[in-house]
Amino acid sequence: MSMPYYMSPEQVMKDRADYARKGIARGRALVGLEYLDGVALVAENPSSSLNKIAEIYDRIAFAGVGRYNEFEQLKISGIRHADVTGYQYSRDDVNARSLANSYAQLLGQIFTHEMKPYEVEILVASVGVTALDPNRLFHILYDGTVMDEHGYSVLGGNAEAIGDALEGQFSEGLSRGEAVRLGASALGKPDDRTLEATQLEVAVLDRGSGRRTFRRLPVAEVAELLAG
Amino acid sequence: MSVDPRADVGWCSLDYAPPTMTDLPLPVFGAGDDPGASFSDLLRRRTPHLLPGSALPTAGGDATPHSPLGIPHGTTIVTIRCRDGVLMAGDRRATEGHTIASRAMDKVFPADAHSVVGIAGAAGPAMEMVRLFATELEHYEKVSGGPLSLEGKANKLSQMIRANLPAAFQGLVVVPLFCGYDRRQERGRVFRYDITGGRYEEADYATTGSGGVHARNWIKAFWRAELDRDAVIDLSLASLFQAADEDSATGGPDLIRRIYPSVVIVTADGIATVPEEELAERASRLVDTPALGGPRRVQAETEPSRAPDGAGVTTEVPR
């Protein structure tokens, strides 16, 4: 007769968290930075067609690191959530906070109840309507932990080293070019690399660009910004 | 006695049934049920009551071909292909029966960055259709990572009009026009529809609404290839003026209240709305210039009308 076995909840959670963290650490990192007129998202991503950064709604962007299929699914859920809310009520009623909460609920449920936790970290960023209206950077972990971050946010492998690189150099009121340059240099910092425009995926939420503030920057424009 | 090894493995066992994902606020679907990039399919699965027409009585009742309800109707829309793309213009009047419901209704809406839809017919369902259509295009673009082709957009609109057919039989007819800049073929294209969702691509221009036939005749007489921006705007204003001149449900340029037709132009660079000041200037020039399609002055000094027997009935005011 086989013995029923017991696993302590602490052990189960720890194993799952380790599993998720290992998966996330394998991927390349991503940073989100506030600048004068918006929020810049800079990801190390050699693929030009499989994106880590995406538009969710007029003022909200999504960025994910870790397993592509998992954060892609989260991205689509977020777009659906936002579009249905905006269609049902009004475009003004879609906000990053409620979306971040929904993501946290979903990831928390999956972490505790599914066989395998999601190996992802995601960022829900939004840009304020005016310069006085604060931008938001909600950093959400694989287990549903939400962090409301200010200034900048780092996701993925080597996050600590990249965060250290940013900490000294980030300041409020950067220009868009400065923000992208700072993000790119911080991403390369841990192993002293200089990232080229082709290795980066860059998008911005730009306050001044009409209703849909999200814009993906083409490689040529990123190269121009990196050159200064 | 054999014991199922999975029977007693604690709360992380496979037998534990997690709450289904559809209970959560974020929409998550199983592989067989996923609506893909379509927003209407998403609504159908998640919030079917939000779909247009969901509140209509489904059977019975007296279906009347003409809406007995006092709801606003939009009237004339024109779309004209030009050198750099395509133009769409609409008058601003909405009517409820013989009453003017609105003098300043906008009936021309950008659907996305390179296409425009203009509505004629029952205003409520039409505006709902436009809103759903615009959301649909944006949703597709965000979920799948790129916009639909112009052909794809035109077909999508056709399906939405077909879905409105039960409402159309009850008198809530919606007949939009659709135009856009086709970035693959590098030219403007125009589409018109019938109430069954029939989609007809027109070579150069299309019109819809109660004044559409008058506007179309004017455009037909004066359209030529290679119309530039100035010429195509003037042609659209003149055609709407002609429609307003013949059709009581179409509003002409209202110089007193400063209400002018809405005019947008779609080119490779996107959608540009013609600014109001420019429309004001063009409209005033139009009403002063019969050669442009403006009104001819009616001669007031005609002979006093007489009764058939010549009894000398006069319209002159007796002194």
Side-chain angles (χ1 to χ4, degrees):
Chain A
M1 193 176 125
S2 63
M3 285 286 291
Y5 61 92
Y6 169 79
M7 281 173 77
S8 77
E10 287 87 349
Q11 189 61 42
V12 174
M13 289 300 142
K14 187 173 171 302
D15 287 354
R16 286 184 183 185
D18 285 348
Y19 177 82
R21 270 201 290 264
K22 256 184 234 161
I24 293 162
R26 271 196 294 272
R28 293 171 222 258
L30 173 158
V31 296
L33 307 107
E34 290 182 42
Y35 66 93
L36 195 60
D37 304 312
V39 178
L41 301 163
V42 183
E44 186 182 353
N45 184 358
S47 165
S48 59
S49 54
L50 301 177
N51 295 318
K52 293 181 166 183
I53 305 171
E55 173 186 16
I56 294 271
Y57 212 62
D58 296 350
R59 325 191 69 82
I60 306 175
F62 171 97
V65 295
R67 269 183 91 95
Y68 176 77
N69 68 318
E70 291 176 350
F71 68 70
E72 179 73 7
Q73 195 207 338
L74 291 173
K75 172 198 100 176
I76 291 173
S77 296
I79 293 170
R80 287 175 174 161
H81 181 78
D83 276 344
V84 171
T85 309
Y87 183 74
Q88 187 167 15
Y89 303 108
S90 134
R91 299 198 79 88
D92 297 339
D93 295 315
V94 178
N95 62 66
R97 188 194 49 76
S98 89
L99 186 66
N101 271 335
S102 302
Y103 274 131
Q105 292 292 330
L106 181 63
L107 284 168
Q109 286 280 346
I110 290 168
F111 184 75
T112 33
H113 297 305
E114 298 282 304
M115 279 295 288
K116 176 192 114 42
Y118 273 19
E119 298 158 74
V120 294
E121 258 178 64
I122 59 174
L123 180 69
V124 175
S126 81
V127 63
V129 182
T130 63
L132 295 174
D133 188 17
N135 302 324
R136 301 281 181 204
L137 294 171
F138 293 110
H139 178 179
I140 304 156
L141 302 186
Y142 52 85
D143 60 354
T145 308
V146 191
M147 290 171 285
D148 181 3
E149 299 185 319
H150 301 282
Y152 60 88
S153 182
V154 186
L155 286 75
N158 279 331
E160 252 172 58
I162 296 169
D164 290 345
L166 278 175
E167 190 164 8
Q169 288 178 289
F170 180 83
S171 62
E172 275 182 25
L174 294 173
S175 73
R176 181 167 71 199
E178 287 166 345
V180 171
R181 276 195 294 283
L182 177 57
S185 75
L187 286 175
K189 198 80 173 185
D191 31 18
D192 284 324
R193 292 174 303 152
T194 306
L195 296 173
E196 305 290 328
T198 48
Q199 296 167 280
L200 293 172
E201 180 187 349
V202 182
V204 292
L205 289 171
D206 199 281
R207 216 191 309 282
S209 51
R211 176 171 73 79
R212 288 170 79 176
T213 57
F214 182 89
R215 196 164 69 86
R216 204 178 282 291
L217 304 189
V219 174
E221 197 176 337
V222 176
E224 218 169 273
L225 289 178
L226 289 182
Chain B
M1 189 178 102
S2 77
V3 175
D4 181 355
R6 286 166 54 204
D8 187 23
V9 291
W11 60 275
C12 66
S13 101
L14 281 173
D15 297 330
Y16 176 77
T20 58
M21 284 306 134
T22 46
D23 294 342
L24 297 169
L26 270 185
V28 177
F29 298 92
D33 194 39
D34 196 287
S38 165
F39 185 71
S40 341
D41 284 354
L42 172 65
L43 284 187
R44 194 163 296 122
R45 282 171 181 65
R46 198 167 157 79
T47 45
H49 62 279
L50 292 183
L51 276 175
S54 63
L56 278 174
T58 46
D62 296 324
T64 37
H66 300 292
S67 170
L69 310 169
I71 57 163
H73 280 67
T75 44
T76 308
I77 309 286
V78 304
T79 173
I80 308 170
R81 218 162 57 74
C82 57
R83 192 183 61 196
D84 300 320
V86 60
L87 165 146
M88 187 179 282
D91 77 310
R92 305 286 293 275
R93 181 170 292 179
T95 54
E96 282 177 24
H98 298 293
T99 310
I100 294 176
S102 170
R103 289 189 175 82
M105 183 191 242
D106 243 326
K107 293 178 270 184
V108 175
F109 302 95
D112 67 355
H114 286 90
S115 65
V116 179
V117 56
I119 52 169
M127 300 230 266
E128 194 183 12
M129 185 181 288
V130 168
R131 206 158 80 90
L132 181 59
F133 182 58
T135 309
E136 182 81 51
L137 300 189
E138 190 186 314
H139 187 77
Y140 182 94
E141 190 182 324
K142 290 190 291 196
V143 170
S144 69
L148 276 167
S149 64
L150 191 72
E151 191 92 19
K153 295 174 202 172
N155 288 338
K156 183 70 218 177
L157 186 57
S158 157
Q159 292 155 20
M160 292 173 63
I161 298 166
R162 191 178 322 124
N164 187 60
L165 192 58
F169 279 130
Q170 295 183 34
L172 302 174
V173 173
V174 177
V175 224
L177 282 183
F178 179 66
C179 73
Y181 188 84
D182 191 325
R183 284 188 288 180
R184 297 177 196 193
Q185 300 186 4
E186 298 186 337
R187 66 188 185 97
R189 295 171 72 184
V190 304
F191 299 87
R192 70 181 177 87
Y193 296 87
D194 64 27
I195 59 164
T196 64
R199 191 208 83 172
Y200 312 95
E201 179 166 8
E202 296 291 335
D204 302 315
Y205 51 84
T207 63
T208 186
S210 58
V213 63
H214 307 291
R216 187 166 65 239
N217 285 339
W218 190 265
I219 298 168
K220 187 178 177 182
F222 294 97
W223 188 86
R224 54 198 158 76
E226 304 298 300
L227 283 172
D228 64 11
R229 182 180 184 277
D230 288 344
V232 77
I233 295 173
D234 282 340
L235 179 58
S236 71
L237 290 178
S239 71
L240 286 173
F241 179 85
Q242 294 295 326
D245 219 24
E246 302 294 331
D247 170 40
S248 62
T250 303
D254 189 339
L255 302 186
I256 300 167
R257 297 187 186 81
R258 298 193 177 82
I259 300 169
Y260 309 100
S262 20
V263 185
V264 298
I265 299 184
V266 196
T267 61
D269 300 332
I271 295 174
T273 304
V274 179
E276 197 179 302
E277 307 82 66
E278 184 183 343
L279 289 172
E281 193 200 311
R282 288 182 190 276
S284 350
R285 184 144 34 88
L286 170 72
V287 296
D288 290 337
T289 323
L292 272 180
R296 292 200 179 78
R297 295 279 172 249
V298 177
Q299 295 299 310
E301 299 86 25
T302 47
E303 282 202 18
S305 54
R306 287 177 185 283
D309 64 354
V313 178
T314 174
T315 53
E316 277 176 300
V317 182
R319 295 171 199 197

